[in-house]
Amino acid sequence: MTFDMYREIILDHYKNPRNFGKIKNANAQANKKNPLCGDEMTMDIKLSKAGKIEDIKFHGAGCSVSRAGGSILTEAIKGMSLAQMKKYTDKDFLKEMQAPITPARRKCALLALETVRAALKIKMK
Ligand code: FES
């Protein structure tokens, strides 16, 4: 893929974010801020009794990369179990984004994943 194609993926998710919104009966939720810019994101998650992510939505105000990150992440992890999420690394997610994220934008991209981990009370080693 060319750099422009990568950029288009981010742009598409930014303009038409998947899973953008709220879940009324969410049973896991968190809000996180990117300390570098003040942008924030909230994740609403509906976990099944067996600990599977049945539904997930995000909302908040952020830059194109953070918003695309929320969109791509929620698509990627819907249906995953808590056990799978505990093994889902930053690297896995950045790979999922299929875009060359500069070090300066890493925090933007990872805001979604950090918010999901906070909602699920997952601490990565
Ligand atoms: Fe704030 Fe990207 S500039 S999350």
Side-chain angles (χ1 to χ4, degrees):
M1 268 203 274
T2 65
F3 186 73
D4 277 348
M5 280 164 83
Y6 289 128
R7 264 197 14 202
E8 257 175 49
I9 292 170
I10 296 280
L11 215 65
D12 174 46
H13 278 272
Y14 170 59
K15 285 190 183 156
N16 309 295
R18 326 308 193 250
N19 305 310
F20 190 80
K22 298 177 182 179
I23 299 175
K24 267 196 190 141
N25 57 347
N27 49 11
Q29 191 192 54
N31 171 275
K32 280 276 221 186
K33 255 195 180 109
N34 179 346
L36 302 178
C37 63
D39 289 344
E40 49 100 30
M41 184 177 287
T42 300
M43 283 282 171
D44 288 354
I45 300 174
K46 177 92 180 73
L47 271 182
S48 73
K49 280 202 181 105
K52 250 193 176 184
I53 299 175
E54 266 181 5
D55 200 6
I56 176 163
K57 287 193 192 299
F58 75 101
H59 54 102
C63 67
S64 54
V65 176
S66 70
R67 196 161 145 127
S71 176
I72 293 167
L73 180 69
T74 52
E75 274 206 318
I77 66 173
K78 202 185 269 189
M80 276 194 191
S81 66
L82 271 176
Q84 284 173 307
M85 278 314 296
K86 282 179 187 162
K87 291 189 197 138
Y88 191 82
T89 63
D90 293 2
K91 225 171 147 187
D92 292 333
F93 174 50
L94 292 173
K95 219 162 111 194
E96 195 74 56
M97 284 194 77
Q98 299 183 52
I101 304 286
T102 61
R105 305 309 293 277
R106 244 181 99 91
K107 271 266 168 208
C108 304
L110 290 173
L111 181 61
L113 184 53
E114 283 171 9
T115 311
V116 165
R117 285 180 184 145
L120 300 177
K121 303 191 183 356
I122 293 173
K123 287 203 170 54
M124 295 304 270
K125 278 171 232 155

